[in-house]
């Protein structure tokens, strides 16, 4: 099994608060090419600002979601984004670490 980054989010994410996630992601992109799992179990609200960020990141490396609520799963489905939703971190690790990681 390989490795991956787990980014645990909590609270609300919209156009005014997404900058925190963008900053952390940018720092992570500078030091690693490993897949990323966003743990959304503690997210109380997320709109398309978070979804757009996840889609953009997916262009650079494999990305998965854990703990996506019904609204986030619906946004992912309607957008056609290639963002797999996993039941737990173990399933995400198993699936994403098997992917080939992109070249830096």
């Amino acid at each position: 099994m390989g490795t991956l980054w787990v980014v645990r989010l909590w609270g609300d994410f919209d156009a005014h608060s997404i900058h925190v996630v963008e900053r952390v992601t940018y720092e992570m992109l500078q030091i690693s090419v490993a897949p990323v799992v966003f743990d959304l179990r503690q997210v109380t609200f997320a709109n398309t600002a978070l979804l757009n960020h996840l889609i953009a990141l997916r262009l650079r490396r494999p990305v998965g979601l854990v703990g996506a609520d019904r609204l986030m799963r619906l946004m992912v489905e309607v957008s056609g984004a290639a963002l797999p939703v996993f039941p737990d971190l173990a399933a995400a690790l198993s699936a994403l670490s098997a992917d080939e990681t992109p070249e830096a």
Side-chain angles (χ1 to χ4, degrees), residues 10-25:
W10 63 92
D12 295 348
F13 294 93
D14 58 20
H16 299 290
S17 58
I18 194 66
H19 67 279
V20 174
V21 179
E22 291 170 340
R23 187 183 73 236
V24 168
T25 303

